[in-house]
Amino acid sequence: MRKPLMAGNWKMNFNHLEAIHLVQKLAFTFTDDDYNTVDIAVLPPFTSIRSVETLIHGDGLKLQFGSQDISAFESGAYTGEISGVMLAKLGCHYSVVGHSERRLFHGETNEIVSKKARAALSHSITPIICVGESLEVREAGNHVSYTLDQVEKSLEGLSAENVAAIVIAYEPVWAIGTGKVATAQDAEEVASGIRKWISNRFTTKIGEQTRILYGGSVKASNIAEIMAGPNVDGALIGGASLDPDEFVAICRFRLH
Ligand code: PEP
């Protein structure tokens, strides 16, 4: 069975001291029961990863962590970029690739996203590959085909074994940071479409292994309903992950 993953995307929030403070609060609250039932990850800005890593490893916490982006390149003259080798050295479990904010504000195409996903995998970092449609596409009723096209192109060059190990986050752009949540049925419709596509393209077994998350205005009050979808294996959480009580409550969705 797929273990659910709750990943907090902090976006461009918190300096390294604030990051330590938040991780300490989470560490005080989460118990082995939480970690046994759900993989819990924080995704701080690059400048806080080292501090978060020191705390997590120093205290032997079972909290996972990762980055919000990764370079498609290994090393060299790429000013401002952070490579997979650097992130792997810090012990990152995950790298988000192709978040809609990066697709929108930094011109990341599906081709770049697939390169970044391969860069992560080559350093044993799990890419969290984000896909999802705009409001325009949703209103035209093309959300499933649009998202599957993004999945196909973003997974270009990945082996079946790679696909079993990745995480895909379905994040309808119109639901990110807007307070508009896709219904549990909306999330399940696209998640099941993605799983079927993977099963057809690779094998049913691979399709059963890939974790598919939902992201977009997830809160403690709506997570249980979203998680009821059999193909939804967790969530990528933005705003609500900045509040420790809210994030803990999301991770404890089974208790709602
Ligand atoms: C995100 O940043 O991936 C996200 C889903 O944000 P929010 O939860 O704030 O909508």
Side-chain angles (χ1 to χ4, degrees):
M1 277 309 288
R2 299 178 299 271
K3 189 174 181 190
L5 167 64
M6 295 296 172
N9 172 19
W10 294 1
K11 310 197 190 202
M12 197 169 69
N13 291 292
F14 297 150
N15 61 40
H16 70 289
L17 299 174
E18 293 163 332
I20 291 171
H21 190 64
L22 176 50
V23 170
Q24 274 171 335
K25 281 193 174 172
L26 297 176
F28 285 137
T29 316
F30 286 127
T31 63
D32 277 352
D33 266 2
D34 293 314
Y35 295 121
N36 289 340
T37 46
V38 184
D39 280 341
I40 304 167
V42 293
L43 307 164
F46 286 126
T47 47
S48 296
I49 295 178
R50 173 64 169 153
S51 306
V52 166
E53 179 263 332
T54 305
L55 183 58
I56 288 177
H57 288 158
D59 287 358
L61 306 177
K62 292 177 183 165
L63 197 61
Q64 300 179 324
F65 62 95
S67 65
Q68 299 170 17
D69 188 26
I70 182 171
S71 177
F73 306 103
E74 279 295 290
S75 65
Y78 301 103
T79 303
E81 295 272 284
I82 305 287
S83 72
V85 73
M86 295 168 181
L87 296 170
K89 190 76 181 161
L90 283 172
C92 284
H93 300 92
Y94 305 98
S95 284
V96 177
V97 297
H99 190 281
S100 62
E101 286 150 16
R102 296 215 54 92
R103 289 180 187 260
L104 187 65
F105 303 130
H106 302 272
E108 287 194 7
T109 59
N110 289 320
E111 192 189 350
I112 295 173
V113 172
S114 78
K115 283 187 183 152
K116 290 188 170 193
R118 278 176 272 156
L121 286 160
S122 71
H123 294 287
S124 303
I125 295 170
T126 300
I128 301 178
I129 301 173
C130 300
V131 292
E133 81 285 354
S134 63
L135 186 58
E136 208 184 351
V137 173
R138 161 70 56 170
E139 284 176 347
N142 298 329
H143 48 286
V144 177
S145 58
Y146 179 90
T147 304
L148 292 183
D149 182 63
Q150 273 188 326
V151 169
E152 178 172 12
K153 291 178 176 145
S154 302
L155 265 50
E156 179 75 38
L158 267 62
S159 67
E161 194 190 16
N162 287 159
V163 174
I166 63 171
V167 174
I168 296 179
Y170 167 57
E171 299 208 304
V173 179
W174 49 270
I176 300 179
T178 58
K180 285 186 195 151
V181 197
T183 64
Q185 289 78 7
D186 291 338
E188 175 58 23
E189 179 193 23
V190 182
S192 81
I194 294 172
R195 196 172 307 289
K196 270 190 211 121
W197 183 88
I198 294 172
S199 300
N200 292 337
R201 169 74 179 74
F202 298 94
T203 63
T204 310
K205 192 166 172 233
I206 302 293
E208 286 303 317
Q209 283 172 279
T210 311
R211 287 195 287 187
I212 302 172
L213 313 184
Y214 166 76
S217 299
V218 166
K219 295 188 278 291
S221 57
N222 57 33
I223 187 66
E225 203 188 335
I226 289 165
M227 288 302 290
N231 288 290
V232 178
D233 304 316
L236 187 57
I237 305 125
S241 71
L242 303 176
D243 175 339
D245 295 333
E246 188 73 13
F247 187 59
V248 168
I250 290 169
C251 295
R252 292 182 175 160
F253 66 95
R254 283 195 173 88
L255 307 179
H256 297 202

